Amino acid sequence: MAMESVEAVVAHIQGLSGSQEEVAHLHSLLKQSEDALRSQAARLGAFLHQLDPSVHTLGYLFLLEAYSSDPVCREQDGDFLLSIVEFINSCSAEQIRLAPEKFISVCKSFKDKVMQLQVPIQGIVPLRTAIRKLQASSEQLTTLHSDYLLLCLLAKCYKAGLSILDDDIFEVDQPRDLFLYCYYGGMINIGLKRYRKAWECLHNVITAPMTTLNAIAVEAYKKYILVSIILSGQVPLFPKYTSSTAQRNLKSHTQPYVDLANCYATGTFSELEGCIQTNLEKFQSDSNLGLVKQVLSSLYKRNIQRLTQTYLTLSLQDIANAAQLKTPREAEMHVLQMIQDGEIFATINQKDGMVSFHEDPEQYKTCGMIEHIDSSIHRLMALSKKLGSLDEHMSCDPAYLTRIGKERPRFDFDEFDSVPHKFL
């Protein structure tokens, strides 16, 4: 493309960024110029300064995407990150949705750059803004969700990830986006020690429809086993809606973790520790050793919790013996931590070293608890209404009806008439 041609494209962008009709016409022209813009990517930086990203969003996006797709431009432009951040902050959401694949490409170039520079924290706020502008509603999962969560993980800004993890997602375009979103979401909740939420995220990965086993599901199942043990002391059976692919193959790809769960079930600390030592390198290479240590710690807690179901009072020495702890001091530290975490209700008499176990003091009649129950009921009602709507929409979907029609045997009415009525 000659210099005049690039100038002509810029002139079109400046002149056709007003009404919806103008922008639609501009979109058509820009699509015809894509290859030419890419071939002149190195020269587009200067032209970007002639455009206002808040006014000329669509045109600016096409130029910026072509420019950012060139590795040389990304490396040599010291303002590369800044220019993308400014565009994300000021661009028109309405116009970027006309070319979502271009916007996603720019954001992914931005994500790759902050990771290359090892400054993932700089990408968190811009990418969150990008997600909100790309989404038609908060119920939509975009391919940028997993990129955002990855940056939160790398920067160890786990709480920042909750801003999108707390959304209820109902619209998914690509299965891989869902797998990564739930997998990274599980890791973020593990980082925050929100094990129940982590379990839910990982559960969504392993029970999602799949015809072939994928690496994300395998890694998710490893963490799912560990989180399940920490939460309840056991790994639940696969629910019926889990794909046959997952049910047949996941355990064989995660044998050290299955062995760990079996050792945990015996309740013997020495056996569990031996299993960990046997598979130590595997747990380390999977970056799961921290979680495995939490599993080990939870065995002590589980043994202490069993005591609360049998005894009203017990000495710290007795607790240490029953829970396989070395000293009464260790037992005291575990009991105090469990009291603080709300896992047991107890008091410790420092004079005689006796622990008294109590019932749950919650009477479920405080204003705060009533508000919590009321909000939970309203949320469940809203979810029920949404699920009903989705079910109705799916039951009318031609692709779904065709699939069901092929799978269900046709009813033979002639055969029905031949059945003796005494059997009906």
Side-chain angles (χ1 to χ4, degrees), residues 206 210 212-223 225 238 244-259 279 282-283 285-286 288:
I206 66 171
M210 64 180 90
T212 56
L213 197 64
N214 63 73
I216 304 169
V218 171
E219 293 307 310
Y221 190 58
K222 292 173 182 176
K223 288 179 168 59
I225 290 174
F238 289 113
S244 57
T245 300
Q247 293 193 50
R248 284 197 309 266
N249 300 304
L250 278 177
K251 287 187 177 180
S252 61
H253 283 77
T254 54
Q255 197 58 51
Y257 296 85
V258 174
D259 292 343
N279 298 293
K282 179 62 176 171
F283 295 143
S285 64
D286 288 342
N288 284 330

Side-chain angles (χ1 to χ4, degrees), residues 274-316:
C275 181
I276 292 172
Q277 287 301 319
T278 301
N279 298 293
L280 191 63
E281 286 186 16
K282 179 62 176 171
F283 295 143
Q284 283 178 323
S285 64
D286 288 342
S287 299
N288 284 330
L289 190 56
L291 258 187
V292 169
K293 289 179 179 178
Q294 292 292 319
V295 166
L296 193 61
S297 177
S298 75
L299 183 58
Y300 293 126
K301 293 181 181 180
R302 199 80 55 205
N303 289 340
I304 292 171
Q305 281 174 329
R306 288 195 189 101
L307 297 176
T308 68
Q309 297 165 12
T310 309
Y311 301 97
L312 290 175
T313 58
L314 211 58
S315 71
L316 287 170

Side-chain angles (χ1 to χ4, degrees), residues 48-61:
L48 288 171
H49 296 297
Q50 298 177 26
L51 302 173
D52 182 344
S54 63
V55 178
H56 311 118
T57 293
L58 187 62
Y60 196 102
L61 175 58

Side-chain angles (χ1 to χ4, degrees), residues 357-389:
F357 299 115
H358 311 301
E359 295 292 326
D360 183 351
E362 178 60 67
Q363 298 295 309
Y364 299 96
K365 59 185 181 182
T366 61
C367 291
M369 181 54 70
I370 291 169
E371 285 178 12
H372 174 70
I373 293 171
D374 187 56
S375 68
S376 296
I377 291 171
H378 279 88
R379 175 172 162 75
L380 286 171
M381 289 170 64
L383 282 173
S384 177
K385 185 177 179 181
K386 182 68 179 181
L387 286 171
S389 172

Side-chain angles (χ1 to χ4, degrees), residues 143-249:
T143 192
L144 295 180
H145 275 70
S146 56
D147 291 328
Y148 173 75
L149 294 179
L150 178 58
L151 293 183
C152 291
L153 282 168
L154 293 173
K156 292 185 170 55
C157 294
Y158 304 132
K159 286 188 177 179
L162 300 182
S163 61
I164 64 168
L165 283 172
D166 287 342
D167 292 338
D168 291 319
I169 298 294
F170 293 99
E171 300 169 31
V172 181
D173 290 330
Q174 298 297 325
R176 186 174 183 273
D177 296 338
L178 178 67
F179 280 108
L180 281 175
Y181 170 74
C182 293
Y183 177 62
Y184 290 150
M187 291 177 70
I188 280 175
N189 279 301
I190 287 170
L192 292 168
K193 289 187 165 46
R194 302 197 330 165
Y195 292 119
R196 173 57 59 185
K197 289 289 185 182
W199 185 90
E200 290 172 6
C201 288
L202 297 169
H203 178 83
N204 287 339
V205 178
I206 66 171
T207 59
M210 64 180 90
T211 53
T212 56
L213 197 64
N214 63 73
I216 304 169
V218 171
E219 293 307 310
Y221 190 58
K222 292 173 182 176
K223 288 179 168 59
Y224 176 80
I225 290 174
L226 299 176
V227 171
S228 295
I229 295 171
I230 292 168
L231 271 178
S232 61
Q234 59 186 357
V235 182
L237 298 173
F238 289 113
K240 290 182 179 179
Y241 50 83
T242 310
S243 70
S244 57
T245 300
Q247 293 193 50
R248 284 197 309 266
N249 300 304

